Amino acid sequence: MKIIQALIFLIIAISGPLAWADPADDVKSPGGLGAKGYVWNKLTREHADILRLTGDFARGKVAFSGCRGCHRADGAGRPDGTYPRLTGQHASVIIKQVTDTRAGLRVNPKMLPFATEHAISLQEIADIADYLSKVQTVAENGKGAGTNLARGKQVYEANRCQRCHGLAGEGDPRRVFPVLAAQHYSYTLLEMQHVKDGSRSNGHPDMSKLLKPISREDMEAVADYLSRMPDYRSADTKP
């Protein structure tokens, strides 16, 4: 990693990771969701450049060292939802989120210092994405109360969320739809709310529309249901 990334990691180690926690993720970009001409997943030049590179697991593990203060060593994130679980996330999704942050399309203060061109190269982004898509973790993810799971399943399937995210929450790497299975309950709920109200700048317009009529209680049920799905790469991937 470059020198500036090492310095940022040192600051976090001194001040504590939660000092950097910014769960809001709700500062709108002028060109983001809701703006005229917004096109979800329109490739930036950097995004296109990275897709032409080949990621390397071993290099990615080393490059990810500067991200561990927040996302933990194996990408497990934090159960309270301040940082998402990245373990097993599709490489295409990781690349999109980092390049959207670099381009200012996703305004994410907690990630920006780690995502700039001064902190990480395009090859390192490709390597980290490859590493995260394959790495395993034994850490438990954060879950909700577990009292309304049947309702969560019903809402998820009735709204055809599986068309994008799959019945097992496995997402779709080709269409750049993220894995939702085993994500932290609090993080999923927070991001659902931000996409619903349009404050997640790089949110999908169709998802924003879909979430509009869904109540907070139902979103809580869906987030809890998803949090209890197994890792989609495991032998048991039935919800």
Side-chain angles (χ1 to χ4, degrees):
M1 299 304 310
K2 300 178 182 178
I3 294 175
I4 189 169
Q5 192 171 9
L7 290 174
I8 292 170
F9 180 70
L10 178 61
I11 290 170
I12 287 180
I14 294 172
S15 62
L18 293 183
W20 285 74
D22 180 12
D25 197 19
D26 62 353
V27 181
K28 286 186 65 62
S29 167
L33 181 62
K36 184 178 180 180
Y38 172 69
V39 178
W40 185 82
N41 204 31
K42 181 179 180 180
L43 291 183
T44 64
R45 191 169 86 176
E46 284 194 333
H47 192 166
D49 287 344
I50 294 172
L51 292 180
R52 287 191 284 268
L53 301 174
T54 300
D56 180 85
F57 180 92
R59 290 198 310 257
K61 183 176 182 179
V62 174
F64 188 69
S65 62
C67 312
R68 292 174 182 169
C70 298
H71 292 289
R72 309 184 80 169
D74 53 7
R78 298 188 178 274
D80 64 1
T82 49
Y83 299 103
R85 184 181 192 264
L86 302 179
T87 303
Q89 188 55 263
H90 300 307
S92 59
V93 173
I94 298 294
I95 291 168
K96 173 178 168 56
Q97 295 309 317
V98 175
T99 54
D100 277 2
T101 299
R102 284 166 72 107
L105 185 57
R106 179 179 180 182
V107 182
N108 190 323
K110 67 180 180 289
M111 190 164 72
L112 183 60
F114 301 91
T116 67
E117 61 183 325
H118 302 293
I120 191 170
S121 70
L122 299 188
Q123 182 62 63
E124 285 173 325
I125 295 172
D127 293 340
I128 288 171
D130 185 73
Y131 167 70
L132 290 172
S133 70
K134 298 172 182 174
V135 70
Q136 302 281 345
T137 182
V138 296
E140 279 287 321
N141 65 305
K143 299 176 178 65
T147 56
N148 213 4
L149 300 179
R151 177 60 179 170
K153 183 177 188 294
Q154 180 185 16
V155 172
Y156 184 79
E157 294 180 357
N159 286 277
R160 296 184 290 178
C161 304
Q162 66 271 19
R163 290 186 304 171
C164 297
H165 296 288
L167 275 173
E170 72 273 20
D172 186 333
R174 183 181 59 83
R175 294 189 292 163
V176 203
F177 294 138
V179 175
L180 300 181
Q183 183 57 266
H184 302 304
Y185 162 79
S186 295
Y187 183 80
T188 298
L189 180 60
L190 188 68
E191 293 306 318
M192 288 173 70
Q193 182 62 51
H194 290 158
V195 174
K196 177 179 180 176
D197 63 28
S199 60
R200 169 72 180 261
S201 286
N202 70 341
H204 199 299
D206 290 345
M207 184 174 175
S208 182
K209 292 176 185 177
L210 183 148
L211 288 170
K212 290 292 185 187
I214 297 180
S215 68
R216 174 75 178 190
E217 183 180 13
D218 279 349
M219 288 198 301
E220 290 173 355
V222 170
D224 199 2
Y225 169 65
L226 291 168
S227 75
R228 293 167 190 276
M229 286 182 173
D231 187 313
Y232 76 99
R233 299 167 297 172
S234 68
D236 179 15
T237 57
K238 292 183 179 180

